[in-house]
Amino acid sequence: EIVLTQSPASLSLSPGERATLSCRASQSISTFLGWYQQKPGQAPRLLIYDASNRATGIPARFSGSGSETDFTLTISSLEPEDFAVYYCHQRSNWPFAFGGGTKVEIK
Amino acid sequence: QVQLQESGLGLVKPSETLSLTCTVSGGFVSGTYYWSWIRQSPGKGLEWIGYIYSSGSTKYNPSLKSRVTISMDTSKDQFSLKVTSLTAADTAVYYCARDVWLGNLYYGLDVWGQGTTVAVSS
């Protein structure tokens, strides 16, 4: 079973700053990785698919990179609406799994 | 625009069976998608329960496998989840979602229901 480890668990930043979130897989998953944003009381929302492709309607400030076991989600300049929890998710091996999440908080 | 909506009882007694339905609107459940159930609890985070492909084939998480059944009703554009022998550990928000895998490219869980809270309590 593949385990995804996200770091850091939380990140305290100010609007306008750059956020860098990490997701590490316990074994290679090629690029079968997605990133999701979740706000309180809402379902997760797809941001990035196949490790580096922005989903429809997602602003260009969100970018994904990586392959095999190491992946990064970057938010180039935080907007007020970006403060949320971010999850990575692998779809390489069953059971598909999510990371534990990174909470991006306002400093 | 495809939308998903979960429905079902929110309070279930221990040892009983949870039944949830996800209704697909603006699209068809018979498309080439993996229709999935995912749950979220404070203790275990997001957990993929299983999926049903448009052909009717299913896959279940081994952590729940013997207790889970996912089925589909193409005439109603719905898919359903049943979880038997419930315990307090099954208390969670349950989401239905569309998983898109085409060719050899993964497009992600691109559509989610709003989620329904299920509490297991006597």
Side-chain angles (χ1 to χ4, degrees):
Chain A
E1 185 168 328
I2 294 175
V3 175
L4 296 178
T5 303
Q6 290 188 242
S7 62
S10 64
L11 204 49
S12 187
L13 295 167
S14 300
E17 289 193 296
R18 181 184 189 91
T20 303
L21 286 64
S22 174
C23 176
R24 178 161 289 178
S26 58
Q27 63 189 76
S28 176
I29 58 171
S30 184
T31 58
F32 301 135
L33 184 110
W35 287 96
Y36 298 81
Q37 177 194 67
Q38 188 177 34
K39 297 179 180 178
Q42 297 184 14
R45 177 176 73 138
L46 177 66
L47 299 175
I48 301 289
Y49 66 89
D50 207 45
S52 61
N53 297 282
R54 270 190 303 278
T56 303
I58 301 303
R61 64 181 181 271
F62 291 93
S63 63
S65 63
S67 65
E68 307 299 334
T69 61
D70 288 293
F71 301 87
T72 301
L73 174 70
T74 301
I75 311 171
S76 59
S77 178
L78 283 163
E79 296 287 339
E81 62 268 28
D82 298 338
F83 292 92
V85 181
Y86 293 84
Y87 295 96
C88 58
H89 153 245
Q90 70 84 13
R91 214 253 192 222
S92 173
N93 288 52
W94 186 254
F96 308 144
F98 294 86
T102 292
K103 184 174 186 178
V104 179
E105 300 174 304
I106 300 177
K107 191 171 183 180
Chain B
Q1 179 178 344
V2 175
Q3 293 183 313
L4 305 181
Q5 178 69 59
E6 304 92 347
S7 59
L9 290 178
L11 179 61
V12 193
K13 291 183 169 51
S15 80
E16 293 189 342
T17 296
L18 168 67
S19 295
L20 296 176
T21 296
C22 183
T23 301
V24 179
S25 58
F28 303 99
V29 75
S30 55
T32 54
Y33 303 112
Y34 296 79
W35 301 99
S36 301
W37 286 98
I38 293 160
R39 68 183 184 180
Q40 186 172 31
S41 60
K44 290 195 74 175
L46 287 160
E47 181 181 30
W48 201 316
I49 299 168
Y51 65 72
I52 184 165
Y53 186 55
S54 52
S55 65
S57 63
T58 55
K59 198 102 171 178
Y60 303 130
N61 193 317
S63 67
L64 292 146
K65 185 173 183 179
S66 60
R67 300 193 293 128
V68 172
T69 304
I70 298 175
S71 58
M72 178 188 295
D73 185 338
T74 55
S75 68
K76 295 180 180 178
D77 286 313
Q78 293 176 334
F79 61 105
S80 299
L81 171 72
K82 287 192 190 307
V83 183
T84 62
S85 305
L86 292 171
T87 70
D90 295 307
T91 293
V93 177
Y94 285 73
Y95 296 100
C96 57
R98 186 177 79 172
D99 185 41
V100 186
W101 176 273
L102 296 173
N104 199 36
L105 188 61
Y106 179 47
Y107 291 89
L109 290 151
D110 68 337
V111 182
W112 293 67
Q114 64 186 31
T116 188
T117 300
V118 173
V120 180
S121 174
S122 54

